[in-house]
Amino acid sequence: GKYRGNMPAGLAIILDSIRKPKVPWQQLVQAEMTDLKPDDYTDQMLDGRFFGQGISLPGIEPEEVCRVAFAVDTSGSVSDEDLRKALTELYGITQEYNAYQIDVVSCDTTPYNHKTYTQEEGSEIIKYPFAGRGGTIFGPAFEFVDNLQEEYGEPFDAVIFFTDGYGEGWCEDYKMKFKKMIWIICDDAQGQIKPTWGTTIHYDQYE
């Protein structure tokens, strides 16, 4: 069964082969995330796999840069393979948008290794240096992301949390602080873990 890790350690995962991302990012977050390829977007592109999860996908006006915060759970209960999945989806975001700023942070009980990637160095995202392997508390990661928003002077288009869901609370206090919250729950193909707010994607339900 799953368990919470309790031994802090370092970790480095490199995506040795580029896999096809599972999550259609441009469709999923179309309601809030900047659409930088508007000519490619039509109603026919809506992915039916998401209808059962109640996700609506209205179009928006194009802006200049897609800005995303991507927090990755690096606690002891998250496997190396799960972290490779996270890298795959990070890479997938870079392929969906012509211009972007992706702020990535590892987190177990505290944030680690904040890195910012833009289209100029997007290929480096597959070498992101994970750190962690302790227990899991979501709050410090949300506080870190919220502080980044204050520093930048504007909210992220979307905040994405990649996790197995075994943590301390869902941090609903941040519900009104983020434009769009997306939980990517890994290693839960049965969809039993259900965050109490935001949009939830159970990663292993998709082929």
Side-chain angles (χ1 to χ4, degrees):
K2 298 292 287 184
Y3 59 90
R4 295 179 191 166
N6 55 17
M7 294 294 291
L11 178 67
I13 297 290
I14 295 179
L15 194 64
D16 50 7
S17 61
I18 299 299
R19 309 173 188 185
K20 183 178 180 180
K22 287 188 176 184
V23 180
W25 289 105
Q26 194 178 33
Q27 296 174 32
L28 172 63
V29 295
Q30 189 72 29
E32 298 291 349
M33 189 184 289
T34 302
D35 176 13
L36 297 174
K37 297 190 293 184
D39 292 339
D40 294 339
Y41 179 77
T42 68
D43 290 341
Q44 285 70 39
M45 289 178 62
L46 298 181
D47 191 327
R49 295 176 301 178
F50 293 102
F51 293 162
Q53 299 194 36
I55 301 172
S56 60
L57 305 168
I60 58 173
E61 293 298 322
E63 296 178 15
E64 185 177 358
V65 178
C66 168
R67 300 179 62 257
V68 178
F70 198 108
V72 182
D73 180 353
T74 52
S75 64
S77 59
V78 175
S79 70
D80 288 2
E81 178 59 26
D82 289 333
L83 295 180
R84 290 188 180 93
K85 294 173 185 176
L87 280 180
T88 296
E89 298 311 316
L90 276 167
Y91 175 77
I93 295 175
T94 70
Q95 299 306 292
E96 288 287 340
Y97 295 91
N98 299 324
Y100 53 82
Q101 176 185 315
I102 305 175
D103 284 83
V104 186
V105 62
S106 300
C107 51
D108 48 22
T109 60
T110 190
Y112 304 93
N113 291 2
H114 169 230
K115 302 287 184 182
T116 301
Y117 298 92
T118 65
Q119 61 276 9
E120 283 78 16
E121 64 271 356
S123 61
E124 295 298 308
I125 208 164
I126 62 173
K127 301 177 184 178
Y128 172 77
F130 291 114
R133 293 305 205 204
T136 312
I137 302 176
F138 297 135
F142 282 121
E143 180 180 7
F144 183 85
V145 171
D146 189 36
N147 288 337
L148 277 180
Q149 289 190 149
E150 292 186 9
E151 179 182 337
Y152 292 148
E154 59 181 323
F156 288 103
D157 294 311
V159 176
I160 302 163
F161 208 127
F162 191 99
T163 176
D164 62 0
Y166 288 83
E168 299 289 344
W170 296 113
C171 300
E172 292 183 355
D173 291 348
Y174 290 90
K175 186 174 183 179
M176 303 304 296
K177 295 187 176 183
F178 302 146
K179 289 173 61 177
K180 181 74 172 181
M181 179 68 209
I182 300 172
W183 299 89
I184 307 260
I185 307 298
C186 62
D187 201 15
D188 180 34
Q190 301 304 312
Q192 297 179 351
I193 297 174
K194 301 182 184 298
T196 57
W197 64 291
T199 296
T200 302
I201 295 297
H202 290 90
Y203 185 84
D204 291 324
Q205 289 183 352
Y206 300 108
E207 299 298 333

